[in-house]
Amino acid sequence: KCVPLKPPIPSKFQGDMEKVKNAQVPEFNSLVNFPVHISQKQSMNIPDGMRCCVMCGQACPCSVSNKNKGKGTGKSGGSGANGKGSNGTGGGLTPLGNNGQASSSAPPKGGANGAGNYAIIPTQNKGLCTLCDVNVWVVVSSGLEIKWCKGCKNFRPWAAFGDKGLATKCVRCRERQREKYALLKEEKEKARLSGKANGSSKVTTKSVTDD
């Protein structure tokens, strides 16, 4: 199981990064504090459209698709970690812990990114809320510091995030993203130059025909 790293949280891993960045992280199911919440099936006392976070045990609205956004009858009582309230949930909902109580493993309100008191659980997060996915966690059995990577969609050693310890993706995923962006930019530039070349050849042909 895991506990949140005690504040103040430094901006990056403080140990030997090279040594720890490839450390073996236990399987996801054995890391989470509430494995019973991994399943989408929830207890009867949780409102529709909500589920409990697998790390802190608190009930949060599930993220909705863009098509359904704005169709809810009410707004949540606060902003999620992304700075937006989730539509479609009641205004006065109190986050529920295990058996309706807040968990001792819950991160401080507002999370590491200083967001509001309420979070959501994105579809791709394997049941992690948006306060817990930015938190740094300590594996109780080993003392290994871990953090959720939104690229790997799993926990990675905190050391794997490099100098940008509070980033949402590990170094490997950030490099992959940069390479993908550079390739996309290169393809767009080639298409632009190709379009220009085609345009100039048409103009040349037209002038020859006119002569």
Side-chain angles (χ1 to χ4, degrees):
K1 303 307 174 200
C2 302
V3 292
L5 185 66
K6 291 179 181 178
I9 309 293
S11 62
K12 62 181 179 180
F13 178 70
Q14 298 299 292
D16 186 339
M17 278 191 194
E18 288 302 313
K19 186 179 178 182
V20 185
K21 70 179 183 180
N22 294 317
Q24 188 70 33
V25 177
E27 188 196 358
F28 179 78
N29 288 19
S30 65
L31 281 175
V32 298
N33 294 319
F34 296 93
V36 69
H37 296 326
I38 290 176
S39 168
Q40 287 280 2
K41 292 176 183 177
Q42 302 292 327
S43 58
M44 296 298 289
N45 63 341
I46 297 175
D48 286 343
M50 297 186 80
R51 65 178 293 191
C52 290
C53 173
V54 295
M55 288 305 278
C56 66
Q58 295 189 14
C60 304
C62 297
S63 62
V64 292
S65 65
N66 290 330
K67 289 180 182 178
N68 296 327
K69 280 185 180 177
K71 291 184 181 178
T73 55
K75 293 183 179 179
S76 66
S79 298
N82 59 0
K84 297 177 182 177
S86 286
N87 295 333
T89 59
L93 288 172
T94 303
L96 305 173
N98 204 26
N99 297 325
Q101 296 181 351
S103 162
S104 59
S105 62
K109 288 297 181 189
N113 61 354
N117 289 347
Y118 282 75
I120 63 170
I121 298 180
T123 310
Q124 302 293 324
N125 259 28
K126 291 186 179 177
L128 233 71
C129 76
T130 46
L131 294 186
C132 290
D133 71 1
V134 295
N135 217 38
V136 179
W137 296 87
V138 181
V139 182
V140 175
S141 59
S142 63
L144 178 67
E145 293 173 0
I146 59 173
K147 189 171 181 291
W148 180 260
C149 172
K150 290 192 175 181
C152 298
K153 294 180 177 55
N154 211 339
F155 285 106
R156 295 288 322 277
W158 192 25
F161 287 76
D163 290 332
K164 294 184 178 180
L166 301 180
T168 58
K169 294 180 180 179
C170 66
V171 172
R172 188 175 65 190
C173 287
R174 294 202 305 268
E175 285 176 352
R176 196 180 299 149
Q177 189 175 19
R178 272 197 297 271
E179 287 170 7
K180 194 175 178 181
Y181 176 75
L183 195 64
L184 197 66
K185 195 175 178 182
E186 190 181 324
E187 285 175 358
K188 281 185 177 179
E189 183 66 16
K190 280 181 181 176
R192 188 178 68 83
L193 292 173
S194 174
K196 270 189 174 182
N198 289 339
S200 62
S201 66
K202 284 177 183 176
V203 171
T204 308
T205 307
K206 187 176 185 300
S207 62
V208 170
T209 308
D210 291 344
D211 292 345

